[in-house]
Amino acid sequence: GITVFAPPDSHLRVGVLSFQVDGYDSEEVAILLDEHFRIAVRGGLHCAPLVHERLGTMAGGTVRVSVGWFNTHEEIDQLLKAVRELIS
């Protein structure tokens, strides 16, 4: 139910992840995560339409999650639990 857009080589990844949830527009996922779970993410084309054109995500964009030093493991688990609930 989820498509993740990230470099295949884990050594090239950073704390930003883009994904799509089947059956949802990216902005709809962002609103649901915000309103129902109080999780801040961004949905859309992220000022990168050429990237979305290449990925084939131009129609619905992607959901972008950014994590950093200030995020806890519990917060990341909360995000994963919320996304699992959306796809179930």
Side-chain angles (χ1 to χ4, degrees):
I2 281 187
T3 303
V4 175
F5 299 92
D9 182 351
S10 63
H11 293 95
L12 298 176
R13 295 181 193 162
V14 295
V16 179
L17 177 73
S18 290
F19 67 94
Q20 289 181 322
V21 177
D22 293 348
Y24 289 93
D25 183 79
S26 64
E27 292 177 5
E28 184 179 11
V29 173
I31 290 168
L32 289 169
L33 289 172
D34 177 47
E35 291 180 355
H36 296 282
F37 301 98
R38 299 181 50 96
I39 297 172
V41 297
R42 296 290 179 259
L45 300 180
H46 316 294
C47 299
L50 295 177
V51 172
H52 287 280
E53 194 174 277
R54 180 173 176 159
L55 292 174
T57 57
M58 192 70 166
T62 61
V63 179
R64 185 184 66 214
V65 177
S66 301
V67 296
W69 292 105
F70 52 86
N71 292 108
T72 65
H73 289 271
E74 291 79 18
E75 290 171 326
I76 295 169
D77 289 341
Q78 211 174 4
L79 169 67
L80 295 174
K81 181 179 176 185
V83 171
R84 283 188 194 110
E85 190 172 320
L86 287 178
I87 63 174
S88 64

